[in-house]
């Protein structure tokens, strides 16, 4: 069944690639069938693909994934007494100092990125041993296909000699490592790149440095900042806490994979007096609880803006609305940079192409928990409002065009993931073939894998239609692949 599905998809992709006016068929075909190592060694050792062959240097990639389709079903809240963590004490201290509740967005931001106690700051939260698994951790093919997209955009930009390749929230660096390794044969592309990783976690910065196989040049004492080089493709690598710290003046290719979903959201609930912001307070029994703001909050301005972008009937049927001011502001910054310097941005995340209601959830050890239970011990994330991203980008400049969203399955399929998996399946053992099929299904499939014969609790769940892809580009570059 899977073989027939692959052949059918491959036929579709061949037609797309041969008829695309903006992509480079030779470049795409060469990359898809070129030699390629395994994805980043940042996670536990994994299967390695060399010259389209599979070697058993390492165990297969992790087989755990999260079914996010149940994001709206809240689990039971636990009130069992526990010793308070430093983050819990910190949050209660803020509420006490303010003399009242804090917004859900502030709670979320403290939980995830507090400089001392934040969830992302002091631990590796990715992979089978972490709390969740992202697409790059599933298969090296994901990073390779994003690399194809970046090279196609670079060609549409006129092959500039210098380009900022920026990734927002790179995690372990797996996606960037797979991208650079897959593109390493295209010297004119990789030699033009300066990789900029936007990361606030010192621990993850060290992981990224290791997994990109970086070497730091010796400080010669001349006052010039030492350089860091990724030996995967000989590219310069720099780290920043904010996008604004990336030097301007050069065209940029920006990648935001599962980054927007972690930006703090404000939640509003419809009440008898209108829309009221949902807040986090401390109850008499010293537990966190939700309350409604008694008066309009500063975030109400963003709510009004979001409602203006939506049709009245879309708002009328909702009792809850989430807005993400930081997503709007970040999109403004991305669009402004692309408008001035050229280039484009690729956003891949789970979300909706419309107003998002009550989607905020917490994930700990691959399971959903209540977001107020033991803050700092679980990841918090919310659906991405792709329609809001579109409006935020388009209002920056007439030089900006937004394309998509399309499903992750459509995006990866059009870029040639079917060619890639076919090629790898020709040179592997039965066990390695099972790993490839599982990874492929998780990236492009929908629901449970029909070919699975293992334990029911381990059945691969496809993310192909749940995740969406959107591109923001300078209009001078035309319509980017594969959004034509």
């Amino acid at each position: 069944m899977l073989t027939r599905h692959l052949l059918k998809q491959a036929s579709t992709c061949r037609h797309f690639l041969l008829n695309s006016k903006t992509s480079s068929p030779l470049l795409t075909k060469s990359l898809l069938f070129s030699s390629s190592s395994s994805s980043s060694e940042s996670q536990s050792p994994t299967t390695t693909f060399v010259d389209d062959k599979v070697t058993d240097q390492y165990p297969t990639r992790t087989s755990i994934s999260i079914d996010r389709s149940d994001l709206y079903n809240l689990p039971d809240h636990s009130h069992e007494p526990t010793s308070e963590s430093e983050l819990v004490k910190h949050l209660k201290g803020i509420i006490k100092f303010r003399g009242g509740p804090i917004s859900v967005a502030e709670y979320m931001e403290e939980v995830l990125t507090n400089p001392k106690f934040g969830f992302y700051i002091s631990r590796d939260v990715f992979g089978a041993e972490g709390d969740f698994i992202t697409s790059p951790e599933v298969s090296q093919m994901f990073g390779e296909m994003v690399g194809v997209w970046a090279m196609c955009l670079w060609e549409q930009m006129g092959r500039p000699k210098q380009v900022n390749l920026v990734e927002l929230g790179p995690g372990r660096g797996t996606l960037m490592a797979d991208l650079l390794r897959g593109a390493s044969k295209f010297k004119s592309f990789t030699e033009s790149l300066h990789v900029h990783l936007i990361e606030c976690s010192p621990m993850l910065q060290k992981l990224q440095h290791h997994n990109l196989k970086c070497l730091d040049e010796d400080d010669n004492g001349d006052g010039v900042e030492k350089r860091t080089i990724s030996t995967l493709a000989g590219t310069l690598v720099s780290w920043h806490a904010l996008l604004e710290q990336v030097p301007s003046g050069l065209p940029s290719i920006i990648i935001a994979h599962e980054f927007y979903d972690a930006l703090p959201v404000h939640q509003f609930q419809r009440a008898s007096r209108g829309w009221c912001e949902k807040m986090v307070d401390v109850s008499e029994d010293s537990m966190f609880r939700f309350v409604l703001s008694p008066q309009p909050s500063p975030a109400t301005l963003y709510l009004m803006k979001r409602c203006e972008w939506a049709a009245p009937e879309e708002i009328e049927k909702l009792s809850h609305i989430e807005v993400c001011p930081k997503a709007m502001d970040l999109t403004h910054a991305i669009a402004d940079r692309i408008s001035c310097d050229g280039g484009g941005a690729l956003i891949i995340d789970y979300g909706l192409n419309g107003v998002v209601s009550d989607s905020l959830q917490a994930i700990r050890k691959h399971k959903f928990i209540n977001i107020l239970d033991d803050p700092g011990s679980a990841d918090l994330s919310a659906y991405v409002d792709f329609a809001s991203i579109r409006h935020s980008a388009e209002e920056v400049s007439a030089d900006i065009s937004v394309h998509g969203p399309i499903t992750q399955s459509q995006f990866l399929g059009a870029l040639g993931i079917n060619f890639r998996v076919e090629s790898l399946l020709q040179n592997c053992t039965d066990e390695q073939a099972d790993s490839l099929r599982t990874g492929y299904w998780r990236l492009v499939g929908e629901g449970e894998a029909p070919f699975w014969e293992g334990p029911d609790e381990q059945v691969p769940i496809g993310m192909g239609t749940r995740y969406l892809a959107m591109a923001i580009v300078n209009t001078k570059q035309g319509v980017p692949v594969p959004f034509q």
Side-chain angles (χ1 to χ4, degrees), residues 23-34:
S23 65
S24 170
L26 290 176
L27 179 151
T28 306
K29 183 177 181 181
S30 178
L31 176 72
L32 295 175
F33 292 92
S34 66

Side-chain angles (χ1 to χ4, degrees), residues 264-333:
V265 296
H266 291 263
Q267 293 188 317
F268 288 86
Q269 181 174 321
R270 191 190 295 274
S272 58
R273 61 180 184 273
W275 289 104
C276 299
E277 182 163 9
K278 206 171 177 180
M279 313 289 281
V280 177
D281 200 1
V282 179
S283 63
E284 293 181 357
D285 60 358
S286 197
M287 301 296 293
F288 290 113
R289 63 172 182 174
F290 289 119
V291 297
L292 295 181
S293 173
Q295 57 192 11
S297 61
T300 304
L301 295 175
Y302 286 91
L303 173 67
M304 294 171 60
K305 189 173 187 177
R306 184 62 190 92
C307 290
E308 289 175 0
W309 289 338
E313 55 270 22
E314 185 179 9
I315 301 298
E316 289 172 1
K317 64 182 181 181
L318 298 175
S319 58
H320 295 82
I321 293 179
E322 288 176 352
V323 295
C324 187
K326 288 208 168 184
M328 296 180 187
D329 295 343
L330 172 63
T331 303
H332 280 159

Side-chain angles (χ1 to χ4, degrees), residues 19-20 129 134-135 158 175 187 200 203 212 228 233 273 295 349 372 400 405 425 446 449 479:
N19 288 278
S20 173
E129 300 303 319
T134 61
S135 296
L175 187 156
K187 298 299 182 184
C200 61
M203 176 173 286
L212 292 179
T228 299
R273 61 180 184 273
Q295 57 192 11
D349 226 311
L372 297 181
I400 290 297
L425 284 171
E446 180 179 3
V479 181

Side-chain angles (χ1 to χ4, degrees), residues 12 31 46 97 119 133 163 166 223 242 289 291 338 417:
T12 302
L31 176 72
T46 183
F97 177 78
F119 178 76
I133 294 173
V163 177
V166 183
L242 301 169
R289 63 172 182 174
V291 297
I338 292 171
I417 193 172

Side-chain angles (χ1 to χ4, degrees), residues 123-316:
R123 72 194 81 184
D124 176 12
V125 300
F126 303 94
E129 300 303 319
D131 293 271
F132 55 91
I133 294 173
T134 61
S135 296
E137 306 296 331
V138 169
S139 172
Q140 71 184 63
M141 294 183 289
F142 184 84
E144 291 171 348
M145 294 304 104
V146 174
V148 172
W149 180 85
M151 280 189 283
C152 289
L153 180 63
W154 175 73
E155 285 195 334
Q156 288 180 271
M157 293 161 60
R159 299 191 171 206
K161 298 297 183 183
Q162 291 182 293
V163 177
N164 289 327
L165 178 58
V166 183
E167 185 178 1
L168 306 177
R172 290 173 161 182
T174 308
L175 187 156
M176 186 59 69
D178 291 339
L179 186 159
L180 293 177
R181 189 181 287 111
S184 60
K185 284 192 172 183
F186 301 91
K187 298 299 182 184
S188 56
F189 173 65
T190 56
E191 288 175 357
S192 72
L193 301 178
H194 185 158
V195 174
H196 296 272
L197 302 178
I198 311 303
E199 180 60 66
C200 61
S201 167
M203 176 173 286
L204 289 178
Q205 286 184 9
K206 291 179 181 179
L207 270 175
Q208 295 153 13
H209 187 283
H210 171 74
N211 295 326
L212 292 179
K213 299 189 179 300
C214 290
L215 293 177
D216 298 321
E217 292 184 344
D218 294 332
D219 189 350
N220 55 19
D222 59 3
V224 178
E225 185 178 356
K226 67 179 181 180
R227 305 193 312 167
T228 299
I229 307 292
S230 169
T231 58
L232 294 176
T235 54
L236 281 169
V237 182
S238 299
W239 280 264
H240 314 275
L242 301 169
L243 175 63
E244 289 75 11
Q245 296 171 349
V246 177
S248 59
L250 294 176
S252 296
I253 299 175
I254 301 171
I255 299 167
H257 173 257
E258 289 204 52
F259 181 78
Y260 273 78
D261 69 299
L263 296 176
V265 296
H266 291 263
Q267 293 188 317
F268 288 86
Q269 181 174 321
R270 191 190 295 274
S272 58
R273 61 180 184 273
W275 289 104
C276 299
E277 182 163 9
K278 206 171 177 180
M279 313 289 281
V280 177
D281 200 1
V282 179
S283 63
E284 293 181 357
D285 60 358
S286 197
M287 301 296 293
F288 290 113
R289 63 172 182 174
F290 289 119
V291 297
L292 295 181
S293 173
Q295 57 192 11
S297 61
T300 304
L301 295 175
Y302 286 91
L303 173 67
M304 294 171 60
K305 189 173 187 177
R306 184 62 190 92
C307 290
E308 289 175 0
W309 289 338
E313 55 270 22
E314 185 179 9
I315 301 298
E316 289 172 1

Side-chain angles (χ1 to χ4, degrees), residues 65-73 120 126 131-135 257-258 261-262 349-351 359 361-363 366 368 379-383 461-463 466-467:
S65 65
I66 277 200
D67 180 2
R68 295 182 185 265
S69 60
D70 200 32
L71 274 175
Y72 289 92
N73 295 333
Y120 288 135
F126 303 94
D131 293 271
F132 55 91
I133 294 173
T134 61
S135 296
H257 173 257
E258 289 204 52
D261 69 299
D349 226 311
Y350 66 96
S359 75
Q361 284 277 9
I363 299 172
H366 310 281
F368 293 109
D379 178 44
L380 301 182
S381 62
Y383 270 23
I461 304 297
M463 301 184 288
R466 210 174 311 142
Y467 281 70

Side-chain angles (χ1 to χ4, degrees), residues 455-474:
D456 290 343
E457 63 272 14
Q458 297 179 16
V459 60
I461 304 297
M463 301 184 288
T465 57
R466 210 174 311 142
Y467 281 70
L468 303 177
M470 173 177 278
I472 303 171
V473 299
N474 190 298

